[in-house]
């Protein structure tokens, strides 16, 4: 769900100018835990659905899949989307210390438009 990122009034910069800064989020532990459990449930449901429908096996091994070229282009676009998602959601917070998605435009201004383009092309 959407959560507004609180912005502090102003903070000092080294040049003496004033710039807005992002205030730390005041999220409760129970709320964060609920979000993690909710995400885990969705992943489990997706895995069970794939196992029940045999989607991956059908798409990779079935001779009835007619448009193999389109399928493999879609797989490449999906790979690009997953790679960018991992960069934005794992690498930047863990290794670069980027606290929130509000700073993505600073570190990688083209990532979100590329993700959108891949999603539109893939979908």
């Amino acid at each position: 769900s959407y959560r507004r990122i609180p912005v502090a009034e102003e903070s000092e910069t080294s040049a003496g100018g004033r710039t807005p800064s992002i205030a730390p989020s005041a999220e409760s532990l129970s709320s964060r835990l609920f979000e993690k459990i909710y995400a885990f449930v969705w992943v489990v449901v997706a895995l069970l659905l794939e196992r029940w429908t045999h989607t991956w096996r059908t798409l990779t091994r079935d001779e009835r899949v007619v448009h193999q070229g389109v399928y493999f282009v879609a797989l490449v676009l999906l790979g690009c989307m997953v790679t960018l998602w991992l960069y934005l959601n794992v690498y930047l917070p863990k290794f670069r210390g980027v606290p929130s998605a509000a700073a993505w435009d600073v570190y990688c201004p083209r990532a979100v438009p590329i993700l959108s383009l891949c999603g539109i092309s893939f979908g």
Side-chain angles (χ1 to χ4, degrees), residues 2 31 60 66 69 94 103 114 121-122:
Y2 173 78
S31 173
T60 56
V66 178
K94 300 290 183 201
I114 291 172
S121 302
F122 172 68

Side-chain angles (χ1 to χ4, degrees), residues 59-106:
L59 290 174
T60 56
R61 298 188 186 135
D62 197 348
E63 295 83 26
R64 295 175 294 176
V65 177
V66 178
H67 303 289
Q68 290 281 330
V70 174
Y71 172 67
F72 288 120
V73 168
L75 281 181
V76 168
L77 290 172
L78 179 64
C80 289
M81 288 175 62
V82 168
T83 302
L84 280 172
W85 182 87
L86 288 172
Y87 174 75
L88 292 173
N89 291 298
V90 176
Y91 178 76
L92 286 180
K94 300 290 183 201
F95 299 105
R96 291 288 184 176
V98 176
S100 70
W104 287 353
D105 289 338
V106 174

Side-chain angles (χ1 to χ4, degrees), residues 45-65 71:
V45 167
L47 290 173
L48 290 174
L49 185 64
E50 193 284 326
R51 189 161 261 220
W52 180 53
T53 60
H54 305 288
T55 305
W56 185 253
R57 184 174 51 198
T58 301
L59 290 174
T60 56
R61 298 188 186 135
D62 197 348
E63 295 83 26
R64 295 175 294 176
V65 177
Y71 172 67

Side-chain angles (χ1 to χ4, degrees), residues 10-21:
E10 293 179 344
S11 65
E12 293 289 330
T13 62
S14 59
R18 294 177 127 8
T19 58
S21 66

